[in-house]
Amino acid sequence: MFVRQMLVSDIDRVYEIACQSLDELYVREVFFFFINGWPTGQLVVVTDAGEVVGFLSGARLTSDKAAIPLFAVIPRHRRAGAGSRMMEEFRIRTMMDGMHYIQLEVRDSNASAVAFYKKMGFSAVEYLDSFYNDGGNAVRMICRVRGNA
């Protein structure tokens, strides 16, 4: 597997992965918004056979902080390094753009995702009541780009 920048031609597949993997509803156009806003902050992970099996959509929050609003890997490729590879590539890209922090929100009931982000160097900094459309709660997590491997 390898990580590369997301292309407009990947959007249909990325949207399909989002619909299958995420529990919020999104429109396809959100991915055009992210690509237009920060092209190098949009990543996909691709198998050696050329299948896109995951994506990470990043956004610039400030000159010092990036966010990960959308991130997913299809179930059969989870726990095989795809998410870690995208996260490390995103860390490099944020560092190259001069940012020092990455922020994300994760459903507080998603223990495996919270554990993954902790493994990647994120720490919980805020609890967000009724963050999701269905009233679900979230945890905001932040990671320092430099000094976290």
Side-chain angles (χ1 to χ4, degrees), residues 90-100 145-148:
F90 188 70
R91 185 186 310 270
I92 291 166
R93 289 172 185 231
T94 57
M95 197 181 322
M96 290 175 64
D97 277 1
M99 295 178 220
H100 298 280
V145 173
R146 298 175 195 278
N148 290 328

Side-chain angles (χ1 to χ4, degrees), residues 1-3 6 13-23 31 43-47 51-57 68 70-88 110 112-113 116-117 120:
M1 278 188 269
F2 63 96
V3 176
M6 186 188 302
R13 175 64 177 148
V14 166
Y15 179 67
E16 180 183 322
I17 293 169
C19 289
Q20 292 171 355
S21 302
L22 303 175
D23 55 9
F31 296 102
L43 304 173
V44 292
V45 64
V46 182
T47 65
E51 178 189 11
V52 172
V53 296
F55 71 90
L56 183 154
S57 285
I68 300 174
L70 296 171
F71 178 65
V73 175
I74 62 173
R76 74 177 189 274
H77 285 280
R78 291 179 189 159
R79 302 186 195 289
S84 298
R85 288 179 186 183
M86 282 190 291
M87 194 64 75
E88 288 304 322
N110 190 342
S112 61
F116 168 76
Y117 293 129
M120 297 306 300

Side-chain angles (χ1 to χ4, degrees), residues 22-38:
L22 303 175
D23 55 9
E24 292 282 294
L25 298 176
Y26 299 96
V27 295
R28 181 178 275 105
E29 288 73 23
V30 74
F31 296 102
F32 290 101
F33 172 80
F34 288 126
I35 283 179
N36 288 329
W38 188 21

